[in-house]
Amino acid sequence: DLKAASRIGDDVTSVTNGTDLWRNYAQIVASMPLYSATELDRKQKNEYDLRGDTAKRVATFVTAISSRNHAIRELALYQSLESRAAVRVQSGVTGADEQVAFLKEVASTQDSLIKAEADIMESRLALSSLCSKESYEPINNYLKTLAAVPGADR
């Protein structure tokens, strides 16, 4: 959007650097966008990258919750099998190897559970950190509610 104008005046205006503006001059006024095309492209790319990063963090959060819930069910299974094996060992039906094997599975599953809980916390904090200061606390509390163990007292 270009506009041109000319003006003829009778007075001479003295400028501080010693030059004079004579009575005949032309002016061109251009209307330019606030951002250049390159800056707009960069802004769009940054927004696209932020949305992609947010999607990855949400996926990590959901995966961690799923892994934690799976580990809880698996832990309950192995604990019951270990208890059953303990009764079988006391009865003399089987050797202690069976109980030891289930104890190893219980320990391994507890490690998986701890890792999943850490992943939940990490991804929850990462998602919350993407928010503004005003929405950080409500979003963090909402994510805590989502991450709660099903059936547990909140």
Side-chain angles (χ1 to χ4, degrees):
D1 227 3
L2 289 177
K3 294 180 183 178
S6 65
R7 180 176 173 182
I8 299 174
D10 292 336
D11 60 340
V12 176
T13 306
S14 178
V15 181
T16 57
N17 64 2
T19 62
D20 291 326
L21 292 176
W22 294 95
R23 43 186 197 160
N24 296 323
Y25 65 90
Q27 82 184 54
I28 298 176
V29 178
S31 173
M32 297 177 62
L34 187 56
Y35 296 107
S36 69
T38 306
E39 289 171 340
L40 288 174
D41 288 344
R42 188 177 313 128
K43 184 179 176 184
Q44 281 182 324
K45 183 178 179 345
N46 288 343
E47 187 173 327
Y48 175 79
D49 290 345
L50 180 62
R51 289 177 189 264
D53 186 41
T54 303
K56 287 178 186 173
R57 291 175 194 243
V58 167
T60 302
F61 182 68
V62 171
T63 301
I65 291 173
S66 176
S67 296
R68 189 264 328 267
N69 293 347
H70 179 78
I72 289 172
R73 289 189 301 275
E74 196 173 31
L75 182 61
L77 172 67
Y78 285 130
Q79 285 174 333
S80 69
L81 289 173
E82 188 275 326
S83 295
R84 177 179 168 264
V87 170
R88 288 170 45 101
V89 168
Q90 283 179 339
S91 302
V93 175
T94 187
D97 294 345
E98 181 179 305
Q99 185 179 4
V100 170
F102 286 124
L103 281 171
K104 286 180 183 178
E105 292 295 334
V106 167
S108 173
T109 305
Q110 284 176 333
D111 284 344
S112 299
L113 181 60
I114 290 168
K115 183 185 179 327
E117 286 289 351
D119 290 345
I120 289 171
M121 184 181 296
E122 177 185 4
S123 57
R124 177 180 55 81
L125 292 173
L127 278 169
S128 298
S129 72
L130 295 172
C131 300
S132 64
K133 289 181 181 179
E134 297 81 30
S135 60
Y136 174 84
E137 201 62 40
I139 292 293
N140 192 36
N141 290 336
Y142 176 70
L143 293 174
K144 282 181 185 178
T145 303
L146 285 179
V149 176
D153 293 330
R154 294 183 180 170

